[in-house]
Amino acid sequence: MQLTQLITSISIFSVIMAEPFVIKRSFDYGTSDIIASFKSKSSNTAIQDPPQPDIPLEEPPISTLLPCSVHHPLTNGFYDLTDLSSINTENIVAWSAKGHDYNKNFTLGICSSPLKPNIEVDPNYQSLVKQPSLKLNSSEVGAFYTDEAGDKFSIGDFSSIPVFRGKKLTLTYENGSYCPNGLDRKSTLLSFTCDKEILQKAQVSFVGVLHDCDYFFEVRTVHACPTARQDDNRAVIWIFVFILLAALFVYSSGGFLYKRIILNRRGWRQLPSYGLGNKVSSALNNNVSNSV
Ligand SMILES: *[C@@H]1O[C@H](CO)[C@@H](O)[C@H](O)[C@H]1NC(C)=O
Ligand SMILES: *[C@@H]1O[C@H](CO)[C@@H](O)[C@H](O)[C@H]1NC(C)=O
Ligand SMILES: *[C@@H]1O[C@H](CO)[C@@H](O)[C@H](O)[C@H]1NC(C)=O
């Protein structure tokens, strides 16, 4: 009878313990996941259509993919650039970089646009090749420069998917204004470097430009240093709780079995703290009887 009670209590215990242990694993955001996230983005737009239950979802849910953050595919370090963006703020966060010999100063957003909506951005038609009409949407522009006349030229639409190229954390902006050849569109490569020393949140430096078309910047920031993910912290706490509970379980069941089998006790007397409680209550009784 009591053995079956023990077994049921053990199984209840393990059911209780198993539930919080469903730790949501995060995925490594290597290139394959980036492709998957693009796919899921395009399928999100199709969600407004009536659901099609016949087609099973092939990719795992990408709900853990936060914009502007990335897991290093090899070290599994977590990198979050969100604090450098306007994603969680109402204000527009813009970074500037001096052009030096390029004679134009740059304004950049990280994972977001440095421009307010509906600001005119020059698409830069200057070639003999007839181009399809192009209208740049300032809410999508990720970085721009201003020329002497005050016109703004886009050097790429922002992206909020950082990519690791080996050890280098990068962000690529594409589809800016037309390049001088009238065919290509200006694009920008941001390379992030972990820097725990600098006082600003980030320091953006213009490194160079190729063919007046492709721009390269270095961003030194503490946000490019790996951090532990919140989920990981929670996992550590759960593991600690589990070890504590396991120790308690071993202590109580060990004492229980010892008293039951070795001391051959039955009922309440097989609880490990029974003897202790007994002593305490008898000591209290003694005190009470002494003082009375
Ligand atoms: C770029 O910024 C520097 C310093 O802020 C300023 O002196 C210079 O005139 C600016 N250049 C342009 C093209 O706006
Ligand atoms: C500009 O882009 C934003 C964000 O993608 C979009 O919501 C808005 O409708 C676009 N505006 C125009 C005029 O296309
Ligand atoms: C850039 O524009 C082209 C043509 O409009 C489009 O096919 C391509 O996907 C765009 N690239 C990005 C990164 O948005």
Side-chain angles (χ1 to χ4, degrees):
M1 245 331 244
Q2 275 154 344
L3 198 65
T4 55
Q5 277 172 2
L6 174 67
I7 288 165
T8 47
S9 59
I10 287 175
S11 49
I12 288 167
F13 176 81
S14 47
V15 164
I16 291 167
M17 283 316 297
E19 207 277 320
F21 260 78
V22 189
I23 293 169
K24 279 164 211 117
R25 277 313 307 160
S26 39
F27 301 103
D28 289 351
Y29 306 129
T31 7
S32 57
D33 281 290
I34 287 156
I35 291 163
S37 79
F38 274 128
K39 277 185 195 159
S40 81
K41 263 190 192 166
S42 50
S43 66
N44 274 351
T45 54
I47 276 171
Q48 284 125 353
D49 297 333
Q52 297 161 312
D54 295 345
I55 301 162
L57 277 175
E58 277 170 27
E59 287 119 24
I62 318 281
S63 55
T64 52
L65 182 82
L66 303 166
C68 215
S69 63
V70 67
H71 264 285
H72 192 287
L74 298 178
T75 66
N76 211 34
F78 181 67
Y79 298 78
D80 192 354
L81 304 174
T82 318
D83 275 0
L84 306 177
S85 76
S86 325
I87 290 174
N88 292 330
T89 62
E90 282 178 16
N91 318 347
I92 283 172
V93 180
W95 303 93
S96 31
K98 266 185 216 158
H100 303 289
D101 56 314
Y102 192 60
N103 284 331
K104 283 149 188 146
N105 295 329
F106 297 93
T107 309
L108 296 93
I110 291 170
C111 299
S112 55
S113 179
L115 283 171
K116 293 196 183 103
N118 306 320
I119 295 224
E120 203 181 316
V121 182
D122 197 327
N124 201 18
Y125 301 103
Q126 32 168 252
S127 74
L128 304 171
V129 190
K130 197 167 161 31
Q131 289 297 343
S133 67
L134 178 67
K135 196 163 189 322
L136 293 173
N137 179 346
S138 67
S139 305
E140 290 172 354
V141 167
F144 68 90
Y145 64 81
T146 313
D147 72 358
E148 297 76 12
D151 290 334
K152 293 180 174 61
F153 293 87
S154 167
I155 57 172
D157 286 350
F158 74 83
S159 150
S160 47
I161 303 168
V163 172
F164 265 103
R165 197 155 289 122
K167 284 181 183 166
K168 275 291 177 193
L169 180 58
T170 68
L171 202 52
T172 307
Y173 294 172
E174 286 175 333
N175 285 353
S177 303
Y178 277 114
C179 295
N181 72 1
L183 286 170
D184 298 319
R185 308 269 299 268
K186 290 185 189 255
S187 53
T188 294
L189 183 61
L190 304 177
S191 168
F192 292 85
T193 307
C194 166
D195 190 333
K196 293 179 179 163
E197 316 276 281
I198 58 165
L199 299 171
Q200 309 101 300
K201 258 185 166 183
Q203 189 184 64
V204 183
S205 319
F206 173 57
V207 176
V209 53
L210 299 171
H211 308 120
D212 230 352
C213 188
D214 300 307
Y215 298 79
F216 182 58
F217 295 85
E218 191 191 37
V219 185
R220 302 190 75 84
T221 171
V222 72
H223 297 286
C225 307
T227 52
R229 229 194 149 169
Q230 244 180 7
D231 282 6
D232 292 342
N233 291 346
R234 246 176 274 152
V236 167
I237 290 168
W238 276 119
I239 287 165
F240 179 74
V241 167
F242 174 74
I243 290 170
L244 203 73
L245 285 176
L248 260 175
F249 178 72
V250 167
Y251 165 75
S252 51
S253 61
F256 170 83
L257 289 175
Y258 171 76
K259 294 212 168 167
R260 185 183 171 91
I261 293 163
I262 311 289
L263 303 180
N264 210 21
R265 287 196 183 152
R266 288 292 180 269
W268 285 114
R269 293 166 57 83
Q270 50 193 326
L271 290 181
S273 51
Y274 177 76
L276 185 67
N278 232 9
K279 277 175 205 148
V280 168
S281 60
S282 58
L284 281 175
N285 284 344
N286 280 349
N287 279 350
V288 168
S289 50
N290 284 349
S291 60
V292 166

